[in-house]
């Protein structure tokens, strides 16, 4: 199913998903890149803890699925998705290096994330579980489709999060988040379409999709609370004076610095609808508009153009 058809237009031209080889200069970005808001800063910083390993895993699983994709349009989308996710992984890993340079080491947390994706969700089922190869691949594709439901919601949120601008957030970090968010909206339907394509037919395919979300939603919540707590606890500027709390989290939500619980939670029942498709999430037009103005995306486009001319 083409992206234009997913978007609900009648255009015959298929929207092309392609990676942008962006880069960011972190030298001037402070540890608390939302001024005087360590809780909001670190809740969002959990993205940097999860995404390097998570998005490498996306690419590995999709490589396994590639031979099963016999739709040439979807195959192009998959390859564009893989290129974008690989770039996301690298850029978020650079943020971890930046945090380490500011004496906020993250290895004690990220080694657990690495174990989750590389061992528990690797190419073979963990602990020698007798799960057929095809079913194990389908299960992992269902997990990626469910995760991408949340990344689309978060991507759409950050593109509209004027509270982050009003708070004086670091412009480089904002550009990273909005470039990434825009690309998540761009490719919001690809993982779902790959799962639908490779996940069998009828009720078993739908049941596995529900199962994927039933696993992903609580695990993501747990990882996020654990990650925010870890960052607050190890933040050298806080020196143990402050911990992650729901009260401070909700205060940041009211200021527009974090998405509301309703925005996040309502994504789950939408996903459970039999007729659901991720093209209903966010606005491709808004994403493309941001990518046309993003400093990092524009610099990447300029570099690509110069290389082509050369």
């Amino acid at each position: 199913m083409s992206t234009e058809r997913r978007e609900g237009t009648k255009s015959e031209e298929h929207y092309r998903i392609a990676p942008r080889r962006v880069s960011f200069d972190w030298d001037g970005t402070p540890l608390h890149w939302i001024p005087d808001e360590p809780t909001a800063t670190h809740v969002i910083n959990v993205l940097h803890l999860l995404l390097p390993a998570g998005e490498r895993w996306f690419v590995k699983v999709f490589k396994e699925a590639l031979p099963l994709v016999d739709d040439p349009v979807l195959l192009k989308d998959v390859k564009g998705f893989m290129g974008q996710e690989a770039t996301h992984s690298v850029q978020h890993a650079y943020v971890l290096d930046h945090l380490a340079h500011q004496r906020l080491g993250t290895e004690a947390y990220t080694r657990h994330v690495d174990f989750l994706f590389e061992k528990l969700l690797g190419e073979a089922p963990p602990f020698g579980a007798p799960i057929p190869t095809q079913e194990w691949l389908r299960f992992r594709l269902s997990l990626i489709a469910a995760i991408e439901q949340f990344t689309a919601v978060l991507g759409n949120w950050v593109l509209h999060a004027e509270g982050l601008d009003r708070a004086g957030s670091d412009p480089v970090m904002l550009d990273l988040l909005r470039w990434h968010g825009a690309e998540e909206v761009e490719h919001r339907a690809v993982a779902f379409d790959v799962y639908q394509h490779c996940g069998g037919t009828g009720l078993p395919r739908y049941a596995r999709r529900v199962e994927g979300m039933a696993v992903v939603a609580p695990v993501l919540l747990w990882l996020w609370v654990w990650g925010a707590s870890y960052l607050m606890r190890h933040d050298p500027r806080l020196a143990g004076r402050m911990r992650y709390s729901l009260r401070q989290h909700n205060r940041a939500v009211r200021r527009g610095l974090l998405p509301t619980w309703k925005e996040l939670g309502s994504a789950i029942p939408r996903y459970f609808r039999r007729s659901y498709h991720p093209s209903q999430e966010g606005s491709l037009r808004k994403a493309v508009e941001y990518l046309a103005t993003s400093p990092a995306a524009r610099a990447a486009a300029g570099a690509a153009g110069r290389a082509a001319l050369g």
Side-chain angles (χ1 to χ4, degrees):
M1 182 181 294
S2 78
T3 305
E4 287 293 333
R5 288 196 296 274
R6 294 186 217 119
E7 185 72 7
T9 73
K10 296 182 179 179
S11 171
E12 295 180 0
E13 182 181 356
H14 182 72
Y15 182 81
R16 180 172 175 264
I17 298 170
R20 298 166 180 84
R21 305 304 181 188
V22 298
S23 61
F24 301 89
D25 181 359
W26 297 111
D27 287 347
T29 298
L31 183 58
H32 296 167
W33 54 268
I34 307 176
D36 303 317
E37 283 286 349
T39 296
T41 292
H42 287 318
V43 168
I44 296 176
N45 278 348
V46 175
L47 286 167
H48 312 309
L49 301 179
L50 300 178
L51 292 179
E55 295 188 305
R56 287 195 305 269
W57 175 71
F58 288 2
V59 173
K60 289 177 182 177
V61 175
F62 270 39
K63 282 182 179 178
E64 293 178 47
L66 277 177
L68 305 177
V69 180
D70 54 15
D71 179 332
V73 175
L74 180 58
L75 187 61
K76 288 182 180 179
D77 285 348
V78 171
K79 291 179 178 179
F81 174 96
M82 292 168 66
Q84 289 189 343
E85 297 290 23
T87 304
H88 298 169
S89 174
V90 169
Q91 295 306 322
H92 285 279
Y94 286 147
V95 180
L96 294 184
D97 294 339
H98 177 63
L99 295 179
H101 290 154
Q102 299 184 86
R103 298 185 298 115
L104 179 49
T106 58
E107 298 85 354
Y109 180 93
T110 56
R111 69 167 177 258
H112 297 288
V113 178
D114 292 341
F115 178 78
L116 169 65
F117 288 113
E118 294 174 9
K119 303 299 182 182
L120 294 183
L121 294 172
E123 188 170 354
F127 314 117
I131 304 173
T133 300
Q134 183 183 55
E135 284 306 303
W136 182 238
L137 175 59
R138 286 173 170 174
F139 173 67
R140 288 178 295 149
L141 289 173
S142 77
L143 297 182
I144 296 174
I147 294 170
E148 285 289 297
Q149 169 76 348
F150 289 112
T151 60
V153 170
L154 291 172
N156 184 60
W157 173 80
V158 78
L159 288 172
H160 294 86
E162 296 178 358
L164 292 173
D165 301 281
R166 290 193 296 269
S169 302
D170 177 72
V172 178
M173 186 65 79
L174 267 186
D175 190 33
L176 167 75
L177 295 172
R178 285 176 172 158
W179 154 75
H180 186 167
E183 290 198 343
E184 290 298 329
V185 173
E186 270 192 314
H187 69 227
R188 64 201 185 280
V190 176
F192 184 94
D193 287 345
V194 171
Y195 172 72
Q196 293 291 97
H197 188 81
C198 302
T201 59
L203 183 59
R205 180 175 66 182
Y206 172 71
R208 197 184 300 105
R209 169 154 71 91
V210 171
E211 178 189 27
M213 178 60 78
V215 171
V216 161
V219 171
L220 268 185
L221 178 61
W222 172 63
L223 287 172
W224 221 289
V225 172
W226 179 24
S229 299
Y230 174 92
L231 291 169
M232 297 283 288
R233 192 168 63 253
H234 291 85
D235 185 326
R237 287 191 56 191
L238 298 179
R241 295 187 305 272
M242 189 175 180
R243 292 286 191 267
Y244 171 78
S245 73
L246 191 58
R247 183 174 65 85
Q248 289 296 324
H249 184 120
N250 289 336
R251 175 180 172 274
V253 169
R254 290 192 295 271
R255 291 192 62 197
L257 304 177
L258 295 173
T260 67
W261 296 108
K262 182 178 179 181
E263 286 174 295
L264 297 172
S266 63
I268 298 172
R270 286 200 303 275
Y271 190 80
F272 285 159
R273 292 201 302 264
R274 290 291 294 268
S275 62
Y276 179 75
H277 192 269
S279 57
Q280 300 165 25
E281 300 294 342
S283 166
L284 178 60
R285 183 177 296 107
K286 178 73 174 179
V288 172
E289 286 174 355
Y290 182 76
L291 291 167
T293 61
S294 159
R298 292 184 66 181
R306 290 191 295 273
L309 289 175

